Amino acid sequence: MSLSPKILVMGSTGSIGLEVARALSNRGVPFRAAVHKSADKLKDLHNYEVAHIDFAQPETLDKALEGIEKVFFMTPPDNTLQGLTAVPSFKKAGIKLVVKLSAAGTEESDRSAFIYAGQHAQVEDAIREAGIPLVSIRPTGFFTNIFHDLHQVKGNGLLFKATGDARINWVSHEDIGEVSAVCLTEPGHEGKNYQISGPDAYSWPEFAKMWSNVLGKEIKVIPITFDQLKESAKQFMPGQENEFANMVEYFAKGGYDRKSDDVEKILHRKPKAVQPFLEATKA
């Protein structure tokens, strides 16, 4: 590497962090990739070095921040408030900019309306109170979240959903990564809150029809209650079933039926549509 990296990408092997890393690599910008375990997913990228961090050991983050000026910051989806533990390290390291992956809904004044988004807001507050410049990236539903339903859809063709006819906007993980990379490398974004969305919102019945056409098989939506949702969530998000149900209830009330032009303003192109992503699920 010809230059010492000034950017740390946290969560660099996850669906969003990897796209931030890829976007920086494509721009020829050196970066340090923070990983918890293996860095194998980064092997096709360039101009990076690896730092192993563990939130339970703050000294590992302190070491990863040595020589760093800017951070792409994200936390595990089931432990958003873990982000609070990183803020003192950012302040001690003299970080000049944090680009934080938050969520659409972080702007809600009632932080109980969407608990996860309210937790993101708490972490954002802590960063601002520490005097660290912040860019908040607030996307709607990630394309990659569709993978949670893929196995079942290819099997019995059923989608069990509690959102009724409420529409959800879907945004490309690649667009989120590219927007974040722009904010890390170009001036003029400090202090901004960006609402990152795709071009369209769909109800699950509408989505199922589109997915049926792509896969060439009928996909049905089976309505379920929030109690049934909570019971199911115990299997894949134990201890977080109430928060998960709260999120889905926010969607059911239309919380993610929204559209922003921030992607187009920042990337100077239209956001990616979900159908080409669905086409790739045929493989």
Side-chain angles (χ1 to χ4, degrees), residues 39 46 65 118 140 201 205 228 249 255 266 268 271 273:
H46 308 283
L65 289 168
T140 51
Q228 289 172 316
E249 185 175 7
I266 295 167
H268 309 294

Side-chain angles (χ1 to χ4, degrees), residues 44-223:
D44 294 329
L45 305 186
H46 308 283
N47 295 323
Y48 71 93
E49 61 186 36
V50 174
H52 291 269
I53 67 167
D54 183 342
F55 275 108
Q57 298 176 299
E59 65 275 11
T60 62
L61 178 56
D62 292 339
K63 183 172 179 57
L65 289 168
E66 291 177 0
I68 293 296
E69 297 179 354
K70 302 176 182 179
V71 177
F72 174 74
F73 183 36
M74 61 176 296
T75 49
D78 59 347
N79 198 356
T80 303
L81 291 178
Q82 192 177 64
L84 294 172
T85 66
V87 177
S89 293
F90 293 162
K91 186 173 179 63
K92 182 167 60 175
I95 296 302
K96 297 178 180 178
L97 180 69
V98 170
V99 176
K100 184 188 179 308
L101 181 66
S102 290
T106 302
E107 76 285 350
E108 296 283 357
S109 57
D110 177 6
R111 294 186 175 178
S112 65
F114 182 4
I115 294 171
Y116 287 135
Q119 292 173 348
H120 281 300
Q122 285 182 253
V123 178
E124 287 188 6
D125 288 347
I127 293 169
R128 294 187 187 99
E129 288 166 6
I132 304 170
L134 173 70
V135 181
S136 176
I137 305 294
R138 300 175 176 180
T140 51
F142 308 162
F143 283 5
T144 48
N145 289 346
I146 295 165
F147 285 132
H148 298 315
D149 294 304
L150 185 58
H151 179 74
Q152 185 159 282
V153 160
K154 286 191 170 183
N156 59 21
L158 300 179
L159 287 166
F160 296 89
K161 299 296 175 183
T163 49
D165 290 326
R167 288 187 169 94
I168 298 171
N169 184 288
W170 295 92
V171 62
S172 166
H173 49 298
E174 295 171 347
D175 284 352
I176 300 169
E178 289 183 30
V179 165
S180 301
V182 168
C183 294
L184 287 163
T185 57
E186 297 181 11
H189 301 283
E190 181 181 314
K192 299 291 182 64
N193 301 321
Y194 288 125
Q195 301 291 329
I196 307 301
S197 69
D200 299 297
Y202 300 94
S203 67
W204 275 111
E206 292 169 336
F207 197 94
K209 184 177 180 180
M210 180 168 56
W211 212 352
S212 295
N213 291 335
V214 167
L215 295 180
K217 63 176 289 184
E218 184 180 13
I219 298 170
K220 294 182 179 180
V221 177
I222 307 299

Side-chain angles (χ1 to χ4, degrees), residues 7-38:
I7 296 173
L8 178 70
V9 178
M10 299 181 70
S12 61
T13 58
S15 63
I16 304 301
L18 181 58
E19 295 304 328
V20 178
R22 193 187 317 280
L24 292 172
S25 178
N26 289 342
R27 286 168 164 253
V29 177
F31 65 96
R32 185 174 297 157
V35 302
H36 184 59
K37 295 180 181 177
S38 171

